[in-house]
């Protein structure tokens, strides 16, 4: 496959799908067949601390074709969507220069949207406002968002902690809805590439079974040791790496506050919930 389409635009492939859908295997298959470079677009897989919990590609898989932006950032350094988008633009350009097809793979919709459509120019959030919002239980934050930004609250799942908190802190700190800021986005690359998008959409029962099996493999592959090592670093609990699925649940088990059976069940449920949100987001993109 030529990396330039008939109109003269460089091609960019995107393999998208929810957690445990097999998108990484598909990206590897495509990269080997056309000469591609796989670029991570998963918010958890950027952290070197989370190889097991984020199901990053194995060393053997990474050796088969070039992989970029996997495990390249220390967990103490938060990676925003804007940070990732800037790094991804660099890696996409390098792949094109090397005559390879850049292949984004992942399920973090905010990352992909920021790269393609640009970043909303939201001012820095007042730390005092952020601290208050982040300390709120998600149910309380969602009720507050319903009062302060009803249209956006209607679009979010009440249990989506990250997005609910972000929406609430923005409207409180700036007096404007996050959706207003998003309409003023800038810096996207969509118009400068020819996007080839492939979405993996499995039946729900199969997807959930894969999610459960993935969690079981994580335990077998050393997830508990990984979480113990991460907790031992005593990082800020608000860092993204500390909020990854599995850290809190397995952390409670390690601290003697739950059974392993209860921890595994909690990670399974959280993984299924996340996969469902990713699946819904992808369908809305089409």
């Amino acid at each position: 496959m030529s990396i330039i389409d008939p109109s003269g635009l460089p091609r960019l492939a995107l393999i998208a799908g929810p957690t445990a859908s097999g998108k990484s295997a598909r990206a590897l298959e495509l990269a080997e067949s056309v000469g591609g470079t796989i670029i991570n677009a998963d918010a958890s897989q950027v952290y070197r601390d989370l190889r097991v919990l984020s199901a990053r590609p194995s060393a053997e898989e990474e050796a088969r074709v070039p992989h970029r932006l996997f495990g390249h950032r220390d967990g103490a350094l938060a990676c925003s969507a804007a940070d990732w988008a800037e790094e991804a633009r660099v890696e996409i350009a390098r792949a094109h220069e090397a005559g390879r097809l850049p292949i984004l793979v992942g399920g973090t919709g905010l990352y992909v949207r920021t790269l393609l459509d640009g970043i909303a120019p939201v001012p820095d959030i007042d730390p005092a406002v952020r601290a208050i919002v982040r300390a709120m239980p998600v149910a309380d934050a969602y009720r507050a968002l319903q009062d302060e930004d009803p249209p956006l609250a209607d679009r979010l799942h009440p249990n989506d902690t990250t997005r609910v908190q972000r929406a609430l802190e923005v409207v409180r700190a700036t007096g404007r809805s996050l959706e207003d800021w998003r309409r003023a986005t800038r810096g996207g690359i969509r118009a400068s590439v020819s996007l080839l998008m492939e979405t993996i959409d499995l039946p729900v029962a199969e997807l959930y079974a894969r999610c459960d099996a993935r969690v079981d493999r994580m335990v077998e592959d050393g997830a508990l040791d990984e979480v113990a090592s991460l907790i031992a670093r005593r990082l800020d609990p608000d860092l993204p790496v500390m909020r990854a699925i599995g850290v809190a649940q397995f952390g409670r088990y390690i601290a003697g506050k739950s059974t392993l059976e209860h921890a595994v069940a909690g990670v399974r449920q959280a993984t299924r919930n996340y996969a469902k949100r990713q699946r819904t987001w992808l369908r809305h993109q089409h």
Side-chain angles (χ1 to χ4, degrees):
M1 175 190 295
S2 171
I3 64 169
I4 304 297
D5 80 351
S7 71
L9 288 175
R11 288 190 166 106
L12 171 65
L14 169 61
I15 308 297
T19 291
S21 63
K23 58 185 178 291
S24 296
R26 172 57 186 145
L28 185 58
E29 177 188 22
L30 177 62
E32 289 186 316
S33 66
V34 303
T37 295
I38 298 176
I39 301 171
N40 171 48
D42 181 283
S44 292
Q45 290 188 351
V46 302
Y47 298 110
R48 66 176 61 101
D49 306 76
L50 298 178
R51 176 177 285 280
V52 178
L53 279 187
S54 69
R56 281 205 334 252
S58 67
E60 293 76 16
E61 289 170 329
E62 290 183 340
R64 288 164 60 179
V65 299
H67 283 67
R68 301 290 183 261
L69 305 186
F70 289 90
H72 70 297
R73 183 174 285 242
D74 186 89
L77 302 174
C79 183
S80 69
D83 293 335
W84 174 85
E86 180 59 33
E87 294 173 336
R89 281 193 287 267
V90 172
E91 295 300 341
I92 290 168
R94 286 175 176 168
H96 285 144
E97 290 169 2
R100 304 186 67 87
L101 175 69
I103 303 170
L104 298 176
V105 58
T108 302
L110 179 59
Y111 273 24
V112 174
R113 185 172 64 186
T114 299
L115 174 68
L116 296 178
D117 298 327
I119 186 69
V122 181
D124 291 339
I125 302 300
D126 183 335
V129 172
R130 173 162 289 166
I132 292 171
V133 171
R134 296 292 173 89
M136 298 170 69
V138 64
D140 293 346
Y142 186 74
R143 283 192 291 271
L145 188 64
Q146 287 178 306
D147 291 335
E148 299 175 42
D149 191 352
L152 184 51
D154 288 343
R155 296 179 56 185
L156 298 178
H157 191 284
N159 294 329
D160 191 342
T161 303
T162 300
R163 289 181 174 84
V164 169
Q165 289 178 339
R166 177 60 174 167
L168 183 59
E169 69 184 21
V170 168
V171 73
R172 285 190 171 181
T174 71
R176 291 175 58 186
S177 170
L178 182 57
E179 287 300 284
D180 288 340
W181 289 108
R182 286 173 175 167
R183 282 189 280 272
T185 56
R186 57 174 182 254
I189 68 169
R190 187 185 295 272
S192 62
V193 297
S194 175
L195 184 65
L196 308 172
M197 182 172 179
E198 180 177 333
T199 301
I200 299 177
D201 189 11
L202 301 176
V204 172
E206 181 181 353
L207 178 62
Y208 285 1
R210 283 173 172 250
C211 289
D212 289 350
R214 171 174 154 168
V215 174
D216 293 342
R217 284 196 303 274
M218 287 178 178
V219 176
E220 295 172 0
D221 292 343
L224 298 178
D225 290 338
E226 186 171 83
V227 172
S229 296
L230 184 58
I231 292 173
R233 298 189 63 189
R234 299 183 181 277
L235 299 177
D236 184 337
D238 283 336
L239 284 168
V241 72
M242 299 302 295
R243 298 165 71 182
I245 293 173
V247 173
Q249 296 91 336
F250 288 138
R252 284 193 290 271
Y253 165 70
I254 292 168
K257 297 179 180 179
S258 81
T259 64
L260 179 57
E261 181 181 14
H262 184 75
V264 169
V267 179
R268 283 179 171 180
Q269 186 61 60
T271 303
R272 291 194 296 267
N273 291 346
Y274 183 53
K276 181 180 180 180
R277 291 196 299 272
Q278 289 175 306
R279 191 168 182 262
T280 299
W281 182 86
L282 285 166
R283 289 189 166 190
H284 287 167
Q285 302 317 298
H286 290 298

